[in-house]
Amino acid sequence: MTQLHSSPTVASEPIRLNIGCGESRRRGYIGVDARPDKGTDVIAPAWDLSHWPAGSIDEIYCRHTLEHLDPGDARRTLLAWRDALKPGGLVHLIVPDLLFHARQILGEVTSWDDDPERNFEHAIKSLYGWRAECRGGDGEDAHRWGYTEASLTELLRACGFVDIRRVQGGEDSEPWHLNVKCVRPA
Ligand SMILES: C[S@@+](CC[C@H](N)C(=O)[O-])C[C@H]1O[C@@H](n2cnc3c(N)ncnc32)[C@H](O)[C@@H]1O
């Protein structure tokens, strides 16, 4: 783990992490990523929260990153998050909705573009990763697993989270985003 910038929060403020931040900065959140990028404050794999004491984190936001982990690493990551969060602490996860993209490949649904070729391309990249555009390669840009609402809910439940709910409405609530919140039990 490497700290690139000092934390944007002070001791009395809530600790909020944006894990797999990439180039995006989220106001009030500490950016964590396996690679240095515009949004990164701390370089660390998603499962390594040793930078913070156990039970000290208020919120973990993680957009389009869990699917980049092998399933064993995803489970290990969620268990690490559970232990790092305060009781009642929030996880906000966004991953591609595997069922939406399966239906998209079959031509049953379209996302932002009705053009069949671009619609197919969106589905394939959501399954396997936006490798070419995202810093040109494989490695951390590859998707290593996929989730349906049912499988993600079951994984979160098995890792000890409760109050698991799909976010309806607002940012990233289009049907191709599987946008889920859950909490560490109080
Ligand atoms: C598709 S980008 C998402 C970036 C940003 N969250 C967003 O929504 O625009 C996936 C990010 O996950 C990061 N990543 C991939 N594997 C990771 C890992 N094992 N630990 C931490 N970050 C990882 C990549 O470096 C990349 O920045």
Side-chain angles (χ1 to χ4, degrees):
M1 169 178 300
T2 309
Q3 180 157 1
L4 293 179
H5 307 112
S6 58
S7 152
T9 58
V10 295
S12 58
E13 287 181 345
I15 302 177
R16 298 191 179 102
L17 307 182
N18 178 8
I19 296 186
C21 55
E23 62 181 20
S24 59
R25 281 222 163 264
R26 198 169 165 84
R27 196 181 164 84
Y29 289 71
I30 300 168
V32 181
D33 202 289
R35 301 181 287 189
D37 205 332
K38 287 182 205 148
T40 315
D41 299 301
V42 174
I43 303 173
W47 52 85
D48 180 7
L49 300 190
S50 58
H51 192 70
W52 297 273
S56 68
I57 292 170
D58 293 85
E59 182 188 335
I60 292 173
Y61 173 82
C62 181
R63 182 179 186 275
H64 287 307
T65 296
L66 196 75
E67 67 273 21
H68 292 253
L69 307 184
D70 285 314
D73 286 337
R75 182 174 286 266
R76 169 186 181 195
T77 293
L78 293 171
L79 290 170
W81 293 0
R82 184 202 58 200
D83 293 344
L85 283 164
K86 288 178 178 171
L90 177 74
V91 169
H92 186 180
L93 262 180
I94 299 151
V95 296
D97 186 316
L98 196 58
L99 276 188
F100 178 89
H101 293 300
R103 296 181 61 215
Q104 192 177 26
I105 286 174
L106 293 171
E108 293 177 8
V109 292
T110 57
S111 52
W112 56 73
D113 195 327
D114 281 343
D115 176 77
E117 226 170 88
R118 284 193 290 270
N119 206 40
F120 180 76
E121 188 185 15
H122 179 201
I124 289 294
K125 289 182 171 176
S126 297
L127 295 181
Y128 296 106
W130 269 257
R131 304 183 195 206
E133 291 88 338
C134 188
R135 287 182 289 188
D138 301 331
E140 282 89 354
D141 292 329
H143 291 183
R144 296 187 171 78
W145 203 247
Y147 299 94
T148 64
E149 186 172 349
S151 71
L152 184 60
T153 299
E154 175 52 26
L155 177 63
L156 291 167
R157 195 198 53 70
C159 291
F161 291 98
V162 295
D163 197 10
I164 303 162
R165 61 213 186 269
R166 185 166 188 160
V167 177
Q168 306 286 356
E171 194 184 24
D172 287 333
S173 61
E174 299 93 340
W176 50 91
H177 296 294
L178 180 47
N179 185 337
V180 168
K181 290 185 178 179
C182 61
V183 296
R184 176 181 174 166

